[in-house]
Amino acid sequence: TTFGLIPLFTLSLLAIGVGSPTILCYRFLLAAILMAVVMLFTRRNFRLAADKVAVVAILAILYASTAILLLESYKYIPSGVSTTIHFLYPLVVTLTMAWVFKERISSTIYIAALVSLVGVALLAWGNHTEGDYKRGVTYALVTVVTYAAYIVGVMRSRASKVDSIVLTFYVLAFGAALFFLYALATEGIEPLPTWGSWRDVIMLALLCTVLSDDTLILAI
């Protein structure tokens, strides 16, 4: 639910001309700060073992790639279509766990997977004439792979041994650093023009990033 709220707070920012790099930089930076506060209040150890740094960095890249590609897809296709396509990622996770890691799944799951694909195909195949629709769908489809890879990585890598709050903090901190560099290399970091835009960024950081990612990792 919280991850699905991303368009609610993102589209209004794009509409007033705030660039994607700025939105993502603020979103991840504020989210990392919020997680740092949570770690301090819960007396978590900030130390991350050296053998887990590279894995966490890769997970952060996958998570950040999902964030930017999903946001970019909103520029070309309706956010409802984009988000629905993105939510095919559980299908990719399920098939990856079955085919690569040999988890047993029932024939019912395969039937459900097929129905899901048909449903999303019908949704994405609608009568759309505005903008570069193929580009938007492609961006959304790539997020399916990057987010599924992120989830499988959390489940099956050394990161699975890291406390959920600590892992969330470092994924967001790495992501904030990546988007800071990305913003500097492209459009720069813009000041947010209104209180409403700050409210949207704070909600993006709190609900759609901190809460969604930490609860996802807890679930995994």
Side-chain angles (χ1 to χ4, degrees):
T1 302
T2 52
F3 201 83
L5 290 174
I6 289 175
L8 178 64
F9 304 114
T10 300
L11 295 178
S12 57
L13 291 168
L14 292 173
I16 62 173
V18 181
S20 302
T22 295
I23 294 172
L24 292 166
C25 184
Y26 280 124
R27 173 187 168 187
F28 275 71
L29 180 60
L30 288 174
I33 292 171
L34 287 168
M35 286 308 304
V37 172
V38 171
M39 287 180 68
L40 289 172
F41 269 98
T42 56
R43 298 183 179 180
R44 293 305 206 279
N45 189 342
F46 279 83
R47 182 177 177 274
L48 183 65
D51 64 337
K52 296 181 177 66
V53 173
V55 173
V56 173
I58 292 170
L59 292 175
I61 291 170
L62 290 170
Y63 191 82
S65 298
T66 302
I68 189 168
L69 288 168
L70 192 61
L71 194 154
E72 288 297 315
S73 72
Y74 295 160
K75 298 178 181 179
Y76 302 100
I77 58 176
S79 60
V81 175
S82 176
T83 305
T84 304
I85 293 172
H86 168 73
F87 272 96
L88 280 175
Y89 72 81
L91 168 61
V92 177
V93 172
T94 300
L95 296 180
T96 301
M97 298 308 295
W99 296 346
V100 178
F101 297 99
K102 308 306 178 184
E103 281 191 1
R104 296 184 65 183
I105 60 175
S106 67
S107 57
T108 304
I109 297 296
Y110 281 108
I111 294 170
L114 179 61
V115 172
S116 299
L117 285 172
V118 172
V120 172
L122 290 171
L123 179 68
W125 235 316
N127 184 22
H128 305 285
T129 56
E130 295 182 4
D132 192 342
Y133 198 76
K134 289 182 180 179
R135 179 182 293 189
V137 170
T138 300
Y139 285 156
L141 285 172
V142 176
T143 71
V144 176
V145 178
T146 56
Y147 204 54
Y150 171 72
I151 292 173
V152 172
V154 170
M155 286 192 288
R156 290 291 177 168
S157 71
R158 293 174 181 175
S160 63
K161 306 298 182 183
V162 180
D163 178 272
S164 68
I165 290 178
V166 176
L167 179 56
T168 302
F169 166 73
Y170 277 106
V171 166
L172 297 177
F174 276 118
L178 288 172
F179 285 125
F180 178 75
L181 295 174
Y182 173 60
L184 290 182
T186 53
E187 304 171 2
I189 301 173
E190 309 164 38
L192 296 179
T194 64
W195 158 242
S197 58
W198 275 106
R199 176 203 59 212
D200 290 339
V201 166
I202 290 169
M203 289 296 100
L204 267 176
L206 178 61
L207 294 180
C208 307
T209 311
V210 169
L211 190 57
S212 66
D213 192 49
D214 188 47
T215 51
L216 174 72
I217 291 173
L218 281 170
I220 292 168

